[in-house]
């Protein structure tokens, strides 16, 4: 990474309160919040969509996101007989450079690969659906080390196995097995040896990728199990606070299933936002100055994102909510107050989906029909889709989150991997 880009990423991380020690190459962008640093992007697209840079149908089954580092793109998927998860390297023309099998997929519902790699110091870190933590040399695709964390730490998961993208910072890789032995562990990123493990909460894991935040000069890992939002000391693994007044426990209503926690938190200036689907709804928490407790600042019944994430743009949270597994509306909620700015269906057969942002623009990806939309966030009283196009190739649900790098929008739909030019 060149010096100028390193400086820009560092300043961006400091602005949003994230830790500068976290690798900028990971889940949902360099700040791990769905916001990408690209500038000068197109204000609208041609009717047929932005120019196609490449598309290939050799990505394998999966819901993970592409990750661009320098002149290479990395993507996980499944091998042809779907018995192994694979790590794949492409050049910027979409030509595959190598493929390496690294782990076992989840054996039950929706086994397709879901981990987006984290990359630091020439190494990629991935977690398989069965909880194997793997370090891969990105120069040649060779496995450096591998730890069967699911077995070693007696993980306890819900019905979709492990769906966690690793957090890499300092010399550590984070994995959240949950269960009766521990909740979260840190492994040495060079050797795979255990550095620390937290106390057990006796809970199942969520499907959440943890983030690192900084507040009042102190760092903390923020994540969620199936029933607890947690704040963890990144140096020793102490769980410094838990919050469980959400989901069925808060509503007092019986649940058809466990709390389903699939989304990473948003963080800014000591405030944390989480929301999850199935009518669990959303909430904002205020961190205490000593980072030892949290309090609720507001709750929302509007925004209960299923698994498409959410972004913060100009003081507003954007994402979709859950009406049922096939449908949802797109929402805008005020960060400071929790007030609903709008809750609106995307017309034309589109439904809920995933969301990212860049250059004060919001990009949405409908999970039902594969519509990609460019949203103007300056319009805060209605869903203002400026441009759209449809991705017709590939198979399965459109669950992968998009990524942006150097004016290129990257997306995948099952075995389809495609890139579009969104900068003049």
């Amino acid at each position: 990474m060149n010096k100028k880009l390193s400086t820009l990423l560092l300043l961006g991380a400091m602005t949003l309160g994230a830790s500068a020690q976290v690798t900028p190459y990971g889940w949902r962008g360099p700040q791990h919040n769905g916001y990408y640093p690209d500038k000068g992007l197109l204000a609208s697209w041609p009717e047929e969509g932005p120019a196609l840079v490449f598309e290939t149908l050799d990505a394998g089954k999966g819901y993970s996101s592409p990750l661009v580092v320098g002149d290479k793109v990395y993507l996980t998927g499944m091998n042809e007989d779907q018995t192994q998860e694979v790590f794949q390297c492409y050049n910027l023309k979409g030509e595959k450079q190598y493929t390496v099998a690294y782990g076992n997929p989840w054996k039950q519902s929706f086994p397709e690969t879901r981990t987006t790699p984290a990359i630091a110091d020439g190494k990629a870190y991935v977690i398989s659906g069965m909880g194997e933590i793997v370090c891969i040399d990105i120069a040649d695709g060779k496995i450096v080390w591998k730890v069967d964390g699911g077995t070693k730490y007696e993980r306890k998961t819900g019905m979709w196995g492990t769906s966690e993208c690793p957090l890499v910072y300092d010399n550590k890789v984070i994995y959240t097995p949950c269960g009766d032995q521990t909740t979260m562990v840190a492994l040495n990123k060079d050797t795979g040896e255990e550095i620390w493990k937290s106390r057990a909460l006796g809970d199942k894991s969520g499907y959440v990728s943890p983030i690192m935040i900084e507040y009042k000069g102190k760092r903390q890992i923020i994540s969620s199990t199936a029933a607890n939002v947690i704040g963890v000391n990144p140096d020793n693994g102490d769980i410094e606070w838990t919050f469980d007044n959400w989901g069925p426990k808060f509503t007092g209503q019986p649940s058809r299933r466990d709390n389903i926690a699939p989304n990473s938190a948003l963080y800014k200036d000591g405030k944390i936002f989480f929301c999850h689907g199935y009518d669990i709804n959303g909430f904002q928490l205020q961190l205490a100055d000593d980072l030892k407790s949290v309090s609720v600042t507001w709750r929302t019944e509007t925004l209960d994102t299923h698994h498409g994430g959410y972004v913060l743009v100009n003081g507003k949270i954007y994402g979709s909510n859950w009406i049922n597994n096939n449908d949802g509306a797109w929402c805008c909620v005020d960060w400071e107050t929790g007030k609903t700015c709008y809750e609106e269906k995307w017309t034309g057969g589109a439904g809920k989906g995933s969301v990212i942002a860049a250059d004060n623009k919001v990009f949405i990806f409908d999970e039902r029909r594969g519509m990609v939309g460019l949203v103007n966030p300056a319009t805060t009283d209605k869903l203002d889709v400026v441009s759209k196009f449809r991705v017709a190739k590939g198979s399965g649900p459109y669950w992968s989150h998009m990524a942006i790098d150097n004016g290129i929008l990257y997306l995948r739909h099952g075995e389809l991997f495609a890139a579009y030019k969104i900068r003049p």
Side-chain angles (χ1 to χ4, degrees):
M1 182 165 50
N2 63 50
K3 184 175 180 181
K4 182 178 179 181
L5 179 57
S6 297
T7 302
L8 287 173
L9 291 174
L10 175 61
L11 289 173
M14 292 172 63
T15 298
L16 289 182
S19 170
Q21 286 79 17
V22 177
T23 172
Y25 298 117
W27 171 235
R28 286 178 59 79
Q31 298 161 8
H32 307 282
N33 60 3
Y35 203 103
Y36 290 80
D38 278 54
K39 299 292 185 182
L41 303 182
L42 293 168
S44 63
W45 302 330
E47 186 174 349
E48 66 277 11
L52 180 68
V53 177
F54 69 76
E55 67 175 18
T56 177
L57 289 167
D58 65 356
K61 300 287 187 180
Y63 307 122
S64 59
S65 299
L67 182 63
V68 184
V69 181
D71 61 353
K72 297 294 188 294
V73 190
Y74 302 94
L75 184 65
T76 59
M78 301 272 271
N79 63 1
E80 285 191 19
D81 61 8
Q82 300 184 46
T83 59
Q84 286 281 290
E85 296 187 11
V86 296
F87 177 81
Q88 305 166 109
C89 173
Y90 293 84
N91 63 23
L92 298 182
K93 296 179 181 179
E95 299 165 336
K96 189 178 289 188
Q97 307 298 289
Y98 64 74
T99 298
V100 58
Y102 64 83
N104 296 304
W106 176 237
K107 306 300 183 186
Q108 300 178 37
S109 178
F110 295 106
E112 292 83 356
T113 304
R114 60 270 254 166
T115 186
T116 297
I119 294 181
D121 301 324
K123 305 293 190 298
Y125 301 89
V126 292
I127 304 175
S128 75
M130 295 300 290
E132 299 152 299
I133 308 99
V134 187
C135 172
I136 301 168
D137 190 324
I138 62 172
D140 54 17
K142 298 213 175 135
I143 293 176
V144 179
W145 57 258
K146 181 175 181 177
V147 174
D148 185 357
T151 300
K152 179 177 180 178
Y153 296 108
E154 301 174 334
R155 72 174 184 158
K156 186 185 290 185
T157 76
M159 63 187 296
W160 296 291
T162 295
S163 185
E164 175 182 1
C165 303
L167 174 69
V168 178
Y169 66 95
D170 300 338
N171 65 332
K172 303 175 183 70
V173 181
I174 297 301
Y175 168 54
T176 315
C178 290
D180 298 322
Q181 185 186 139
T182 181
T183 297
M184 180 179 285
V185 300
L187 305 182
N188 184 291
K189 75 179 183 66
D190 297 318
T191 66
E193 295 295 316
E194 181 183 301
I195 295 176
W196 54 251
K197 67 178 183 178
S198 71
R199 64 184 169 92
L201 296 175
D203 196 4
K204 295 178 184 177
S205 63
Y207 310 96
V208 175
S209 302
I211 65 168
M212 179 84 80
I213 63 94
E214 187 172 338
Y215 186 55
K216 303 293 183 180
K218 301 173 185 176
R219 297 187 303 169
Q220 194 168 77
I221 299 170
I222 306 296
S223 194
S224 177
T225 64
N228 294 274
V229 182
I230 57 175
V232 180
N233 186 313
D235 299 319
N236 57 24
D238 287 349
I239 298 177
E240 298 184 305
W241 57 266
T242 63
F243 176 79
D244 66 355
N245 192 15
W246 56 292
K249 184 165 184 176
F250 170 69
T251 63
Q253 300 298 316
S255 177
R256 297 178 291 113
R257 63 194 85 197
D258 293 336
N259 291 346
I260 307 299
N263 297 301
S264 299
L266 283 179
Y267 172 79
K268 185 179 180 182
D269 299 336
K271 294 183 173 65
I272 301 159
F273 175 76
F274 261 110
C275 75
H276 307 305
Y278 301 110
D279 294 329
I280 292 172
N281 301 323
F283 50 89
Q284 188 188 79
L285 305 174
Q286 172 67 59
L287 264 174
D289 286 353
D290 61 2
L291 281 69
K292 300 293 187 182
S293 63
V294 292
S295 56
V296 177
T297 54
W298 51 259
R299 299 182 188 265
T300 175
E301 295 183 2
T302 300
L303 187 55
D304 63 335
T305 295
H306 192 188
H307 45 58
Y310 25 74
V311 292
L312 178 61
V313 181
N314 298 330
K316 303 291 188 294
I317 307 169
Y318 295 86
S320 61
N321 64 13
W322 181 87
I323 294 174
N324 56 55
N325 279 355
N326 296 312
D327 198 14
W330 290 88
C331 309
C332 174
V333 173
D334 187 84
W335 173 262
E336 293 298 331
T337 65
K339 177 184 175 183
T340 298
C341 300
Y342 65 74
E343 178 184 5
E344 189 172 324
K345 290 285 193 75
W346 187 3
T347 58
K352 61 185 176 65
S354 58
V355 60
I356 59 172
D359 195 26
N360 287 322
K361 298 172 179 65
V362 174
F363 301 80
I364 59 179
F365 193 15
D366 150 56
E367 69 183 37
R368 183 164 55 181
R369 297 185 63 241
M371 297 298 299
V372 180
L374 175 62
V375 175
N376 176 17
T379 306
T380 58
D381 60 348
K382 67 177 181 177
L383 177 66
D384 185 8
V385 180
V386 177
S387 301
K388 63 183 179 180
F389 70 99
R390 183 168 180 249
V391 177
K393 296 181 181 179
S395 62
Y398 295 82
W399 283 344
S400 174
H401 294 209
M402 300 177 290
I404 297 173
D405 183 83
N406 197 28
I408 305 297
L409 177 71
Y410 295 90
L411 58 80
R412 72 101 55 85
H413 175 219
E415 64 275 19
L416 171 71
F417 176 33
Y420 300 85
K421 186 178 180 181
I422 58 170
R423 190 162 63 195

